[in-house]
Amino acid sequence: MNKLLDETLSIKIAQSINSRASTPFDNAYKAALSTEGAKYVQGFLTFVGKPYRPIEHSWIELGDTSSNDSLIRIVDPTLPHLKKNPQELWYFAAQKLTVKKLKAIIEESKEDYPEDNPLPIYGDPPYEYYGDVMLGGQDYLAAYQAAEAKCKEINQLNPERN
């Protein structure tokens, strides 16, 4: 089941953090820090059209994750830059982090690898590679495969592709 994308809050948060088109991981990080009760999520986004494959993406989720997925809202601070119909976006989570855990990982990464961007976060090494996309482990593989299947499904129905 696709969780509900909160378009209004996505746009509001995007404006408040000055989100940029090419930085979904940084956008989600800033949004998580500025939004109470947020979880930082990394995974994949699919939609009709180019590039006809899942893209690695990040967003935040709000709501009671302990009870029911239908109560969770997706807030995507990169949404205004996607230029896609929000009803035709599908999100596939590979990893969710609390703000506390996210901050700790970022701090450790900056200390251990100061020359590298700490985002995206791929979990514990060793990392596995699938195609051109660097993925963490089995959670990333499962999310990628689900996103890839959805991408094939929605793009088969798109006559503009041919």
Side-chain angles (χ1 to χ4, degrees):
M1 171 160 135
N2 206 26
K3 298 168 189 160
L4 179 66
L5 173 63
D6 189 328
E7 296 173 54
T8 305
L9 190 54
S10 293
I11 292 166
K12 181 180 175 185
I13 289 176
Q15 291 169 342
S16 74
I17 65 165
N18 291 326
S19 77
R20 296 182 316 198
S22 61
T23 60
F25 301 101
D26 290 335
N27 294 341
Y29 172 70
K30 291 175 189 172
L33 295 181
S34 68
T35 309
E36 191 170 330
K39 286 211 181 208
Y40 171 88
V41 184
Q42 284 182 191
F44 298 91
L45 177 64
T46 64
F47 45 82
V48 173
K50 291 181 182 179
Y52 306 112
R53 61 180 167 73
I55 60 169
E56 199 170 13
H57 197 67
S58 190
W59 58 93
I60 63 173
E61 290 184 356
L62 300 172
D64 184 6
T65 57
S66 64
S67 63
N68 188 340
D69 267 1
S70 66
L71 301 176
I72 298 171
R73 293 177 297 155
I74 291 173
V75 177
D76 185 348
T78 310
L79 180 65
H81 308 290
L82 295 176
K83 296 180 178 33
K84 300 285 180 188
N85 179 348
Q87 282 76 43
E88 295 179 350
L89 297 173
W90 289 269
Y91 293 82
F92 296 86
Q95 176 174 229
K96 297 179 185 187
L97 300 169
T98 64
V99 171
K100 182 178 180 179
K101 177 85 172 162
L102 177 63
K103 283 178 168 179
I105 291 170
I106 296 294
E107 193 174 299
E108 182 180 338
S109 296
K110 284 181 177 178
E111 196 173 286
D112 293 348
Y113 306 100
E115 66 284 348
D116 294 337
N117 186 344
L119 293 171
I121 298 165
Y122 290 106
D124 297 326
Y127 302 127
E128 297 183 40
Y129 292 84
Y130 304 98
D132 295 336
V133 183
M134 181 174 158
L135 304 176
Q138 290 305 309
D139 292 343
Y140 264 85
L141 177 59
Y144 183 78
Q145 288 173 335
E148 188 176 44
K150 183 65 175 181
C151 201
K152 285 178 183 174
E153 172 195 326
I154 60 178
N155 281 300
Q156 274 184 332
L157 304 174
N158 182 11
E160 294 174 27
R161 182 174 176 207
N162 298 333

